[in-house]
mmCIF file of all heavy atoms in Angstrom:
data_model
loop_
_atom_site.group_PDB
_atom_site.id
_atom_site.type_symbol
_atom_site.label_atom_id
_atom_site.label_comp_id
_atom_site.label_asym_id
_atom_site.label_seq_id
_atom_site.Cartn_x
_atom_site.Cartn_y
_atom_site.Cartn_z
ATOM 1 N N SER A 1 -185.498 -21.029 15.926
ATOM 2 C CA SER A 1 -185.531 -22.470 16.106
ATOM 3 C C SER A 1 -185.993 -22.854 17.508
ATOM 4 O O SER A 1 -185.876 -22.079 18.460
ATOM 5 C CB SER A 1 -184.150 -23.073 15.836
ATOM 6 O OG SER A 1 -183.253 -22.743 16.891
ATOM 7 N N GLU A 2 -186.498 -24.082 17.619
ATOM 8 C CA GLU A 2 -186.931 -24.590 18.915
ATOM 9 C C GLU A 2 -185.749 -24.683 19.880
ATOM 10 O O GLU A 2 -185.896 -24.427 21.079
ATOM 11 C CB GLU A 2 -187.596 -25.950 18.750
ATOM 12 C CG GLU A 2 -188.482 -26.353 19.914
ATOM 13 C CD GLU A 2 -189.691 -25.436 20.084
ATOM 14 O OE1 GLU A 2 -190.292 -25.042 19.068
ATOM 15 O OE2 GLU A 2 -190.026 -25.127 21.254
ATOM 16 N N LEU A 3 -184.579 -25.033 19.372
ATOM 17 C CA LEU A 3 -183.395 -25.083 20.225
ATOM 18 C C LEU A 3 -183.078 -23.715 20.811
ATOM 19 O O LEU A 3 -182.678 -23.595 21.974
ATOM 20 C CB LEU A 3 -182.189 -25.601 19.444
ATOM 21 C CG LEU A 3 -182.103 -27.115 19.233
ATOM 22 C CD1 LEU A 3 -180.917 -27.453 18.338
ATOM 23 C CD2 LEU A 3 -182.007 -27.846 20.554
ATOM 24 N N THR A 4 -183.260 -22.673 20.012
ATOM 25 C CA THR A 4 -183.022 -21.321 20.520
ATOM 26 C C THR A 4 -184.005 -20.975 21.622
ATOM 27 O O THR A 4 -183.622 -20.394 22.642
ATOM 28 C CB THR A 4 -183.103 -20.301 19.374
ATOM 29 O OG1 THR A 4 -182.098 -20.598 18.410
ATOM 30 C CG2 THR A 4 -182.890 -18.884 19.882
ATOM 31 N N TYR A 5 -185.273 -21.316 21.436
ATOM 32 C CA TYR A 5 -186.254 -21.068 22.494
ATOM 33 C C TYR A 5 -185.864 -21.800 23.777
ATOM 34 O O TYR A 5 -185.987 -21.273 24.884
ATOM 35 C CB TYR A 5 -187.656 -21.492 22.059
ATOM 36 C CG TYR A 5 -188.335 -20.525 21.115
ATOM 37 C CD1 TYR A 5 -188.788 -20.940 19.870
ATOM 38 C CD2 TYR A 5 -188.532 -19.207 21.482
ATOM 39 C CE1 TYR A 5 -189.420 -20.068 19.008
ATOM 40 C CE2 TYR A 5 -189.174 -18.309 20.622
ATOM 41 C CZ TYR A 5 -189.615 -18.754 19.396
ATOM 42 O OH TYR A 5 -190.244 -17.879 18.532
ATOM 43 N N LEU A 6 -185.382 -23.036 23.660
ATOM 44 C CA LEU A 6 -184.972 -23.800 24.826
ATOM 45 C C LEU A 6 -183.782 -23.141 25.529
ATOM 46 O O LEU A 6 -183.740 -23.054 26.758
ATOM 47 C CB LEU A 6 -184.613 -25.235 24.430
ATOM 48 C CG LEU A 6 -185.764 -26.129 23.961
ATOM 49 C CD1 LEU A 6 -185.229 -27.446 23.431
ATOM 50 C CD2 LEU A 6 -186.759 -26.385 25.086
ATOM 51 N N LEU A 7 -182.819 -22.674 24.746
ATOM 52 C CA LEU A 7 -181.589 -22.117 25.309
ATOM 53 C C LEU A 7 -181.740 -20.678 25.777
ATOM 54 O O LEU A 7 -180.950 -20.199 26.592
ATOM 55 C CB LEU A 7 -180.455 -22.204 24.282
ATOM 56 C CG LEU A 7 -179.959 -23.621 23.958
ATOM 57 C CD1 LEU A 7 -179.054 -23.608 22.735
ATOM 58 C CD2 LEU A 7 -179.240 -24.217 25.159
ATOM 59 N N GLN A 8 -182.748 -19.971 25.264
ATOM 60 C CA GLN A 8 -182.938 -18.569 25.622
ATOM 61 C C GLN A 8 -183.936 -18.372 26.755
ATOM 62 O O GLN A 8 -183.995 -17.296 27.343
ATOM 63 C CB GLN A 8 -183.408 -17.775 24.400
ATOM 64 C CG GLN A 8 -182.348 -17.598 23.314
ATOM 65 C CD GLN A 8 -181.276 -16.594 23.714
ATOM 66 O OE1 GLN A 8 -181.500 -15.686 24.524
ATOM 67 N NE2 GLN A 8 -180.086 -16.751 23.152
ATOM 68 N N SER A 9 -184.738 -19.370 27.062
ATOM 69 C CA SER A 9 -185.758 -19.226 28.100
ATOM 70 C C SER A 9 -185.156 -19.433 29.486
ATOM 71 O O SER A 9 -184.048 -19.973 29.634
ATOM 72 C CB SER A 9 -186.902 -20.213 27.864
ATOM 73 O OG SER A 9 -186.417 -21.525 27.607
ATOM 74 N N GLY A 10 -185.900 -19.004 30.509
ATOM 75 C CA GLY A 10 -185.419 -19.089 31.880
ATOM 76 C C GLY A 10 -185.161 -20.519 32.326
ATOM 77 O O GLY A 10 -185.765 -21.475 31.811
ATOM 78 N N SER A 11 -184.267 -20.690 33.289
ATOM 79 C CA SER A 11 -183.855 -22.021 33.723
ATOM 80 C C SER A 11 -184.792 -22.671 34.731
ATOM 81 O O SER A 11 -184.757 -23.890 34.899
ATOM 82 C CB SER A 11 -182.445 -21.956 34.322
ATOM 83 O OG SER A 11 -181.486 -21.717 33.312
ATOM 84 N N ASP A 12 -185.608 -21.880 35.397
ATOM 85 C CA ASP A 12 -186.466 -22.427 36.453
ATOM 86 C C ASP A 12 -187.795 -22.882 35.870
ATOM 87 O O ASP A 12 -188.858 -22.576 36.385
ATOM 88 C CB ASP A 12 -186.670 -21.380 37.549
ATOM 89 C CG ASP A 12 -187.121 -21.999 38.863
ATOM 90 O OD1 ASP A 12 -187.113 -23.234 38.985
ATOM 91 O OD2 ASP A 12 -187.501 -21.233 39.778
ATOM 92 N N ARG A 13 -187.705 -23.647 34.786
ATOM 93 C CA ARG A 13 -188.898 -24.027 34.038
ATOM 94 C C ARG A 13 -189.693 -25.112 34.766
ATOM 95 O O ARG A 13 -189.186 -25.776 35.689
ATOM 96 C CB ARG A 13 -188.514 -24.488 32.633
ATOM 97 C CG ARG A 13 -187.721 -25.753 32.575
ATOM 98 C CD ARG A 13 -187.141 -26.017 31.184
ATOM 99 N NE ARG A 13 -186.039 -25.090 30.887
ATOM 100 C CZ ARG A 13 -186.082 -24.199 29.896
ATOM 101 N NH1 ARG A 13 -187.117 -24.143 29.095
ATOM 102 N NH2 ARG A 13 -185.027 -23.406 29.696
ATOM 103 N N ILE A 14 -190.939 -25.304 34.327
ATOM 104 C CA ILE A 14 -191.789 -26.333 34.908
ATOM 105 C C ILE A 14 -191.124 -27.701 34.748
ATOM 106 O O ILE A 14 -190.557 -28.025 33.706
ATOM 107 C CB ILE A 14 -193.172 -26.338 34.234
ATOM 108 C CG1 ILE A 14 -193.945 -25.067 34.611
ATOM 109 C CG2 ILE A 14 -193.968 -27.572 34.631
ATOM 110 C CD1 ILE A 14 -194.318 -24.957 36.068
ATOM 111 N N GLY A 15 -191.216 -28.526 35.795
ATOM 112 C CA GLY A 15 -190.641 -29.866 35.730
ATOM 113 C C GLY A 15 -189.208 -29.900 36.217
ATOM 114 O O GLY A 15 -188.767 -29.057 37.004
ATOM 115 N N ALA A 16 -188.446 -30.869 35.720
ATOM 116 C CA ALA A 16 -187.111 -31.137 36.256
ATOM 117 C C ALA A 16 -186.006 -31.036 35.212
ATOM 118 O O ALA A 16 -184.921 -31.578 35.409
ATOM 119 C CB ALA A 16 -187.087 -32.526 36.901
ATOM 120 N N LEU A 17 -186.274 -30.361 34.087
ATOM 121 C CA LEU A 17 -185.279 -30.250 33.029
ATOM 122 C C LEU A 17 -184.796 -28.813 32.862
ATOM 123 O O LEU A 17 -185.484 -27.865 33.217
ATOM 124 C CB LEU A 17 -185.856 -30.720 31.688
ATOM 125 C CG LEU A 17 -186.374 -32.157 31.589
ATOM 126 C CD1 LEU A 17 -186.915 -32.420 30.182
ATOM 127 C CD2 LEU A 17 -185.300 -33.166 31.942
ATOM 128 N N ASP A 18 -183.619 -28.657 32.318
ATOM 129 C CA ASP A 18 -183.147 -27.391 31.796
ATOM 130 C C ASP A 18 -182.244 -27.681 30.606
ATOM 131 O O ASP A 18 -181.821 -28.823 30.391
ATOM 132 C CB ASP A 18 -182.412 -26.567 32.850
ATOM 133 C CG ASP A 18 -182.198 -25.112 32.394
ATOM 134 O OD1 ASP A 18 -182.962 -24.631 31.539
ATOM 135 O OD2 ASP A 18 -181.249 -24.473 32.884
ATOM 136 N N PHE A 19 -181.929 -26.637 29.851
ATOM 137 C CA PHE A 19 -181.192 -26.792 28.605
ATOM 138 C C PHE A 19 -180.023 -25.819 28.586
ATOM 139 O O PHE A 19 -180.177 -24.634 28.888
ATOM 140 C CB PHE A 19 -182.136 -26.562 27.413
ATOM 141 C CG PHE A 19 -183.363 -27.423 27.504
ATOM 142 C CD1 PHE A 19 -184.525 -26.952 28.106
ATOM 143 C CD2 PHE A 19 -183.353 -28.724 27.046
ATOM 144 C CE1 PHE A 19 -185.652 -27.747 28.223
ATOM 145 C CE2 PHE A 19 -184.470 -29.531 27.165
ATOM 146 C CZ PHE A 19 -185.620 -29.043 27.755
ATOM 147 N N GLN A 20 -178.861 -26.346 28.242
ATOM 148 C CA GLN A 20 -177.619 -25.587 28.295
ATOM 149 C C GLN A 20 -176.806 -25.808 27.024
ATOM 150 O O GLN A 20 -176.927 -26.842 26.366
ATOM 151 C CB GLN A 20 -176.785 -26.040 29.493
ATOM 152 C CG GLN A 20 -177.445 -25.791 30.857
ATOM 153 C CD GLN A 20 -177.252 -24.397 31.359
ATOM 154 O OE1 GLN A 20 -176.133 -23.876 31.371
ATOM 155 N NE2 GLN A 20 -178.321 -23.752 31.807
ATOM 156 N N ALA A 21 -175.944 -24.822 26.718
ATOM 157 C CA ALA A 21 -175.026 -24.975 25.586
ATOM 158 C C ALA A 21 -173.842 -25.876 25.944
ATOM 159 O O ALA A 21 -173.168 -26.411 25.062
ATOM 160 C CB ALA A 21 -174.528 -23.611 25.127
ATOM 161 N N SER A 22 -173.577 -26.043 27.246
ATOM 162 C CA SER A 22 -172.428 -26.819 27.710
ATOM 163 C C SER A 22 -172.864 -28.109 28.387
ATOM 164 O O SER A 22 -173.891 -28.156 29.070
ATOM 165 C CB SER A 22 -171.599 -25.997 28.699
ATOM 166 O OG SER A 22 -170.612 -26.783 29.331
ATOM 167 N N SER A 23 -172.038 -29.151 28.231
ATOM 168 C CA SER A 23 -172.254 -30.407 28.938
ATOM 169 C C SER A 23 -171.401 -30.491 30.200
ATOM 170 O O SER A 23 -171.526 -31.456 30.968
ATOM 171 C CB SER A 23 -171.908 -31.590 28.021
ATOM 172 O OG SER A 23 -170.515 -31.577 27.691
ATOM 173 N N GLN A 24 -170.523 -29.504 30.406
ATOM 174 C CA GLN A 24 -169.568 -29.562 31.498
ATOM 175 C C GLN A 24 -169.945 -28.670 32.673
ATOM 176 O O GLN A 24 -169.737 -29.029 33.828
ATOM 177 C CB GLN A 24 -168.175 -29.155 30.993
ATOM 178 C CG GLN A 24 -167.652 -30.015 29.846
ATOM 179 C CD GLN A 24 -167.506 -31.463 30.219
ATOM 180 O OE1 GLN A 24 -166.985 -31.793 31.300
ATOM 181 N NE2 GLN A 24 -167.978 -32.360 29.363
ATOM 182 N N GLU A 25 -170.474 -27.509 32.380
ATOM 183 C CA GLU A 25 -170.751 -26.530 33.422
ATOM 184 C C GLU A 25 -172.179 -26.033 33.307
ATOM 185 O O GLU A 25 -172.607 -25.578 32.245
ATOM 186 C CB GLU A 25 -169.775 -25.366 33.332
ATOM 187 C CG GLU A 25 -169.874 -24.384 34.492
ATOM 188 C CD GLU A 25 -168.816 -23.318 34.458
ATOM 189 O OE1 GLU A 25 -167.955 -23.348 33.533
ATOM 190 O OE2 GLU A 25 -168.827 -22.439 35.333
ATOM 191 N N TYR A 26 -172.918 -26.134 34.408
ATOM 192 C CA TYR A 26 -174.296 -25.669 34.431
ATOM 193 C C TYR A 26 -174.340 -24.206 34.866
ATOM 194 O O TYR A 26 -173.899 -23.856 35.950
ATOM 195 C CB TYR A 26 -175.145 -26.517 35.376
ATOM 196 C CG TYR A 26 -176.590 -26.065 35.415
ATOM 197 C CD1 TYR A 26 -177.445 -26.353 34.370
ATOM 198 C CD2 TYR A 26 -177.072 -25.321 36.478
ATOM 199 C CE1 TYR A 26 -178.762 -25.912 34.378
ATOM 200 C CE2 TYR A 26 -178.391 -24.886 36.500
ATOM 201 C CZ TYR A 26 -179.225 -25.179 35.440
ATOM 202 O OH TYR A 26 -180.522 -24.731 35.450
ATOM 203 N N GLU A 27 -174.864 -23.352 33.999
ATOM 204 C CA GLU A 27 -174.986 -21.928 34.280
ATOM 205 C C GLU A 27 -176.458 -21.521 34.159
ATOM 206 O O GLU A 27 -176.961 -21.303 33.051
ATOM 207 C CB GLU A 27 -174.132 -21.105 33.320
ATOM 208 C CG GLU A 27 -172.640 -21.351 33.458
ATOM 209 C CD GLU A 27 -171.816 -20.468 32.552
ATOM 210 O OE1 GLU A 27 -172.419 -19.634 31.837
ATOM 211 O OE2 GLU A 27 -170.579 -20.578 32.553
ATOM 212 N N PRO A 28 -177.167 -21.451 35.277
ATOM 213 C CA PRO A 28 -178.592 -21.125 35.204
ATOM 214 C C PRO A 28 -178.827 -19.696 34.742
ATOM 215 O O PRO A 28 -178.043 -18.797 35.040
ATOM 216 C CB PRO A 28 -179.062 -21.320 36.648
ATOM 217 C CG PRO A 28 -177.846 -21.091 37.487
ATOM 218 C CD PRO A 28 -176.692 -21.625 36.662
ATOM 219 N N ARG A 29 -179.895 -19.524 33.976
ATOM 220 C CA ARG A 29 -180.328 -18.194 33.576
ATOM 221 C C ARG A 29 -181.283 -17.710 34.672
ATOM 222 O O ARG A 29 -182.449 -18.112 34.728
ATOM 223 C CB ARG A 29 -180.997 -18.250 32.204
ATOM 224 C CG ARG A 29 -180.030 -18.686 31.094
ATOM 225 C CD ARG A 29 -180.667 -18.916 29.758
ATOM 226 N NE ARG A 29 -181.536 -20.086 29.725
ATOM 227 C CZ ARG A 29 -181.128 -21.338 29.604
ATOM 228 N NH1 ARG A 29 -179.835 -21.602 29.511
ATOM 229 N NH2 ARG A 29 -181.986 -22.351 29.590
ATOM 230 N N LEU A 30 -180.746 -16.857 35.554
ATOM 231 C CA LEU A 30 -181.431 -16.482 36.775
ATOM 232 C C LEU A 30 -182.230 -15.199 36.612
ATOM 233 O O LEU A 30 -182.033 -14.431 35.665
ATOM 234 C CB LEU A 30 -180.422 -16.310 37.914
ATOM 235 C CG LEU A 30 -179.599 -17.559 38.258
ATOM 236 C CD1 LEU A 30 -178.519 -17.206 39.261
ATOM 237 C CD2 LEU A 30 -180.495 -18.666 38.790
ATOM 238 N N ALA A 31 -183.110 -14.968 37.591
ATOM 239 C CA ALA A 31 -183.923 -13.758 37.579
ATOM 240 C C ALA A 31 -183.181 -12.606 38.225
ATOM 241 O O ALA A 31 -182.414 -12.803 39.165
ATOM 242 C CB ALA A 31 -185.229 -14.000 38.329
ATOM 243 N N ALA A 32 -183.406 -11.430 37.715
ATOM 244 C CA ALA A 32 -182.953 -10.222 38.401
ATOM 245 C C ALA A 32 -184.027 -9.810 39.402
ATOM 246 O O ALA A 32 -185.199 -10.136 39.252
ATOM 247 C CB ALA A 32 -182.724 -9.103 37.394
ATOM 248 N N GLU A 33 -183.619 -9.115 40.450
ATOM 249 C CA GLU A 33 -184.588 -8.627 41.418
ATOM 250 C C GLU A 33 -185.473 -7.578 40.764
ATOM 251 O O GLU A 33 -184.986 -6.649 40.130
ATOM 252 C CB GLU A 33 -183.878 -8.033 42.632
ATOM 253 C CG GLU A 33 -183.151 -9.061 43.499
ATOM 254 C CD GLU A 33 -184.123 -9.984 44.212
ATOM 255 O OE1 GLU A 33 -185.235 -9.506 44.562
ATOM 256 O OE2 GLU A 33 -183.793 -11.169 44.411
ATOM 257 N N ALA A 34 -186.774 -7.727 40.937
ATOM 258 C CA ALA A 34 -187.703 -6.749 40.369
ATOM 259 C C ALA A 34 -188.998 -6.765 41.169
ATOM 260 O O ALA A 34 -189.447 -7.818 41.631
ATOM 261 C CB ALA A 34 -188.001 -7.045 38.896
ATOM 262 N N SER A 35 -189.591 -5.604 41.331
ATOM 263 C CA SER A 35 -190.866 -5.511 42.040
ATOM 264 C C SER A 35 -192.008 -5.922 41.111
ATOM 265 O O SER A 35 -191.835 -6.019 39.891
ATOM 266 C CB SER A 35 -191.092 -4.080 42.515
ATOM 267 O OG SER A 35 -191.242 -3.210 41.392
ATOM 268 N N PHE A 36 -193.185 -6.155 41.700
ATOM 269 C CA PHE A 36 -194.360 -6.442 40.881
ATOM 270 C C PHE A 36 -194.625 -5.302 39.901
ATOM 271 O O PHE A 36 -194.990 -5.526 38.745
ATOM 272 C CB PHE A 36 -195.592 -6.672 41.762
ATOM 273 C CG PHE A 36 -195.635 -8.024 42.412
ATOM 274 C CD1 PHE A 36 -195.791 -8.152 43.778
ATOM 275 C CD2 PHE A 36 -195.533 -9.184 41.652
ATOM 276 C CE1 PHE A 36 -195.847 -9.392 44.383
ATOM 277 C CE2 PHE A 36 -195.577 -10.430 42.252
ATOM 278 C CZ PHE A 36 -195.739 -10.534 43.618
#
């Protein structure tokens, strides 16, 4: 589903929006450290 794509994709998306399962606590989906 489109909702799953929104909730499973990274949080640092283009623009000023993000999508979360919670309305109370924002938990960004962050990057792990990795080399090129």
Side-chain angles (χ1 to χ4, degrees):
S1 72
E2 200 65 40
L3 281 175
T4 299
Y5 283 123
L6 292 172
L7 291 168
Q8 290 287 334
S9 48
S11 289
D12 200 9
R13 66 191 72 243
I14 291 294
L17 301 180
D18 193 24
F19 307 93
Q20 297 277 311
S22 170
S23 64
Q24 302 299 315
E25 188 174 358
Y26 180 75
E27 296 183 2
R29 296 173 291 280
L30 300 172
E33 291 292 327
S35 65
F36 283 126

